[in-house]
Amino acid sequence: MASKELWKPIEDYDSYLISNHGRVMNTDTGNILKPYQSKYKVNGITRYRAPEVTLHDGNGGRKNINVSTMAARVFGDVYDSGYVSRTLSSLYSQRKAIDAEIRRLEQLNNQGDY
């Protein structure tokens, strides 16, 4: 059973809260930010960075933050890293399944069977 979701402010970013489940909320809009994963290549293999969100500081500046690092910094021992790990693992598995389906469809398309 997942722990109760707790919210705390992010230092230097007055318009944002982060939860112990790794979710980030914009308090001005009430919206939960959608994390993204940037990708890069190492020896021709695509790798993905840990999920990040972009925060705006109110002075025109913005910063990309690693969600799990920020949650650990804000919550310390209360941070439910297991919840985040399970969520990320699930998303990774879904992405692998989607990638496999895309490859299958591309192969069918190249064979003219689709």
Side-chain angles (χ1 to χ4, degrees):
M1 181 173 150
S3 62
K4 180 180 176 184
E5 191 165 23
L6 306 172
W7 294 90
K8 288 188 177 182
I10 299 175
E11 186 177 342
D12 298 328
Y13 296 92
D14 298 334
S15 297
Y16 298 94
L17 299 174
I18 190 162
S19 82
N20 60 323
H21 288 184
R23 298 192 316 153
V24 178
M25 178 191 302
N26 180 325
T27 57
D28 293 338
T29 64
N31 293 333
I32 302 293
L33 279 58
K34 182 179 178 183
Y36 62 90
Q37 287 183 289
S38 54
K39 55 186 174 178
Y40 61 100
K41 289 200 176 211
V42 175
N43 297 327
I45 298 171
T46 301
R47 306 278 184 181
Y48 293 87
R49 299 191 194 290
E52 298 179 331
V53 293
T54 302
L55 303 182
H56 300 269
D57 64 11
N59 297 320
R62 64 183 183 186
K63 183 176 182 180
N64 300 335
I65 64 155
N66 177 305
V67 175
S68 54
T69 300
M70 181 58 66
R73 218 177 264 153
V74 170
F75 285 95
D77 293 340
V78 183
Y79 173 58
D80 188 354
S81 61
Y83 177 84
V84 175
S85 295
R86 288 187 303 275
T87 302
L88 292 176
S89 179
S90 174
L91 291 172
Y92 179 74
S93 296
Q94 291 171 22
R95 187 178 71 227
K96 283 178 62 176
I98 290 168
D99 288 346
E101 181 65 9
I102 288 170
R103 282 192 300 277
R104 186 185 73 77
L105 292 172
E106 286 173 343
Q107 288 174 347
L108 286 174
N109 190 40
N110 291 338
Q111 294 170 1
D113 294 339
Y114 181 67

